[in-house]
Amino acid sequence: SQPPTPELVDQLTQTALTALGAISDGAAVEEWRVSWLGRRGQFTGLLRGLSGLDPDLRREVGGRANQAKNTLEEALARRTREIAQAELEASDRLDVTLPGRPIITGRLHPTTQIVREICQAFMAMGFSVVEGPEVELDHYNFEMLNIPSGHPARDMWNSLWVDYVNEAGEQPMLLRTHTSPMQARVMEAQEPPVRVVVPGKCYRYEATDATHEWHFYQVEGLAVAEGITFADLKGTLYEFARRVFGEDRQIRFRCDYFPFVEPGVDMSISNFRDPATGKRPINRDEDWIEIMGAGMVHPKVLAGVGYDPDRYTGFAFGMGPERIGMLKYGIDDIRHFYSNDVRFLRQF
């Protein structure tokens, strides 16, 4: 090959520009770029020969070559735009009736959505929404709910205790295991009638699997007034089930034990097969599916906050919104709610 000279640089530049001007399609433009400016292109090969020149000539040819390379790159960009515009004008005109590109928007987390739906169902029945602390005192989390220190019922909750010891040598604080402590806090703060729901996050020291998480949401409900009966509890929860799961839902109560209610029950919703299609409303092979625990507020809980249990009665209930969401939307693993998988979140 010829040694690089200023004249050869000018000659190659003109040849390259002429070849570029004759190109009329995008594929040929790319071939031109590779042929002239690519790693093994003609112009790049010329620059590699600079090392064999004497310093003065190398400086002159190098400067001329850099200017030429910039010229070729600018011409390439210009010709690329010209060809793209020509191809656009030669093609069919833009169809303005086509839908625009979708804008990616944010959305509420599915847990937030179901918590709000649950709260709205009870707000329509006259309940207020209140919230409480996630770091709770043993006094409210257990003792005010008829679960004194040493009571075996405490084994129902695997507690996460805060590493703090008071002057009496006691460990009085923990991450709340349920939202039930707000029962006592609300009743301490106001006289009956009381009608509240309490959404919030709870924590328990347990292994995670498809149906259990160590942190989860719970919605607690409480109603206290004169003359409240178990029939009021049944009517309220029946209306809730109809609002969330559909008008045709039936409910069933079975006896259960919770220290802060007496009597205690668990509530299930119907999941019967449709005679016409043979399908169940919820994709689980069960006629009844439990969704929450409930019961009449224990007289000791009422007396503990200063209410007269001979005058006032009430009911309480608690449910897991994630479980409600799993049943309503056919989700088979509670861990999906906290995996931050966008493929899952985009479905809500």
Side-chain angles (χ1 to χ4, degrees), residues 16-257:
L17 290 174
T18 301
L20 181 62
I23 292 174
S24 59
D25 64 85
V29 167
E30 177 62 16
E31 291 178 2
W32 180 94
R33 185 194 68 78
V34 172
S35 175
W36 287 96
L37 299 176
R39 182 176 300 177
R40 298 185 179 182
Q42 298 182 53
F43 204 81
T44 307
L46 175 69
L47 296 179
R48 291 197 183 99
L50 292 177
S51 59
L53 302 178
D54 63 75
D56 292 337
L57 183 58
R58 182 167 65 243
R59 188 180 305 109
E60 180 183 1
V61 175
R64 185 78 62 89
N66 284 331
Q67 293 177 4
K69 185 177 180 182
N70 292 336
T71 299
L72 294 180
E73 289 176 344
E74 292 172 0
L76 173 62
R78 184 167 57 252
R79 188 58 181 156
T80 300
R81 291 193 299 268
E82 292 172 353
I83 292 175
Q85 182 64 31
E87 290 177 347
L88 179 63
E89 292 175 353
S91 64
D92 294 336
R93 291 190 175 276
L94 180 66
D95 186 353
V96 296
T97 65
L98 290 174
R101 294 180 179 177
I103 298 175
I104 299 176
T105 57
R107 48 175 60 86
L108 293 175
H109 190 278
T111 299
T112 302
Q113 293 184 38
I114 196 66
V115 166
R116 291 189 176 186
E117 184 177 355
I118 292 170
C119 290
Q120 287 168 0
F122 286 106
M123 289 168 63
M125 293 184 272
F127 285 75
S128 301
V129 178
V130 298
E131 295 183 344
E134 294 182 15
V135 178
E136 186 56 276
L137 295 172
D138 176 276
H139 175 71
Y140 288 105
N141 197 83
F142 291 122
E143 293 180 9
M144 293 292 285
L145 298 176
N146 196 32
I147 314 174
S149 178
H151 195 287
R154 292 199 178 202
D155 294 338
M156 297 171 62
W157 295 274
N158 299 315
S159 306
L160 290 165
W161 294 90
V162 175
D163 188 14
Y164 164 75
V165 179
N166 61 18
E167 296 178 354
E170 301 169 334
Q171 207 167 7
M173 293 192 297
L174 71 160
L175 298 180
R176 66 181 177 191
T177 57
H178 46 187
T179 48
S180 302
M182 282 304 293
Q183 288 187 33
R185 288 183 176 273
V186 168
M187 289 189 287
E188 277 187 339
Q190 70 180 81
E191 292 295 319
V194 174
R195 196 181 299 175
V196 297
V197 288
V198 187
K201 186 172 282 189
C202 306
Y203 306 85
R204 295 180 188 173
Y205 182 64
E206 56 185 41
T208 61
D209 57 31
T211 58
H212 297 86
E213 262 288 3
W214 71 272
H215 62 106
F216 54 92
Y217 274 82
Q218 191 177 75
V219 176
E220 181 85 9
L222 174 70
V224 178
E226 294 185 45
I228 287 183
T229 67
F230 194 85
D232 297 310
L233 168 63
K234 291 176 65 177
T236 300
L237 297 185
Y238 176 57
E239 179 62 20
F240 161 75
R242 291 173 64 249
R243 288 176 180 269
V244 174
F245 291 100
E247 296 287 333
D248 297 330
R249 273 294 185 271
Q250 300 178 37
I251 63 173
R252 181 185 72 178
F253 291 94
R254 296 186 301 180
C255 292
D256 205 342
Y257 170 73

Side-chain angles (χ1 to χ4, degrees), residues 210-324:
T211 58
H212 297 86
E213 262 288 3
W214 71 272
H215 62 106
F216 54 92
Y217 274 82
Q218 191 177 75
V219 176
E220 181 85 9
L222 174 70
V224 178
E226 294 185 45
I228 287 183
T229 67
F230 194 85
D232 297 310
L233 168 63
K234 291 176 65 177
T236 300
L237 297 185
Y238 176 57
E239 179 62 20
F240 161 75
R242 291 173 64 249
R243 288 176 180 269
V244 174
F245 291 100
E247 296 287 333
D248 297 330
R249 273 294 185 271
Q250 300 178 37
I251 63 173
R252 181 185 72 178
F253 291 94
R254 296 186 301 180
C255 292
D256 205 342
Y257 170 73
F258 303 100
F260 34 87
V261 293
E262 179 60 39
V265 296
D266 67 57
M267 173 183 151
S268 301
I269 58 172
S270 61
N271 190 39
F272 302 132
R273 294 185 185 276
D274 187 320
T277 64
K279 295 183 179 180
R280 297 181 184 272
I282 298 172
N283 188 28
R284 291 180 59 175
D285 194 23
E286 302 175 56
D287 288 338
W288 296 94
I289 298 177
E290 180 185 343
I291 62 171
M292 73 173 79
M296 301 301 293
V297 179
H298 199 290
K300 288 186 178 181
V301 175
L302 295 174
V305 297
Y307 287 6
D308 182 356
D310 295 326
R311 179 182 177 187
Y312 297 112
T313 54
F315 62 78
F317 54 85
M319 71 190 80
E322 288 94 349
R323 178 169 175 78
I324 300 295

Side-chain angles (χ1 to χ4, degrees), residues 4-22:
T5 62
E7 293 75 15
L8 181 58
V9 171
D10 294 341
Q11 179 183 346
L12 286 175
T13 301
Q14 188 59 47
T15 302
L17 290 174
T18 301
L20 181 62

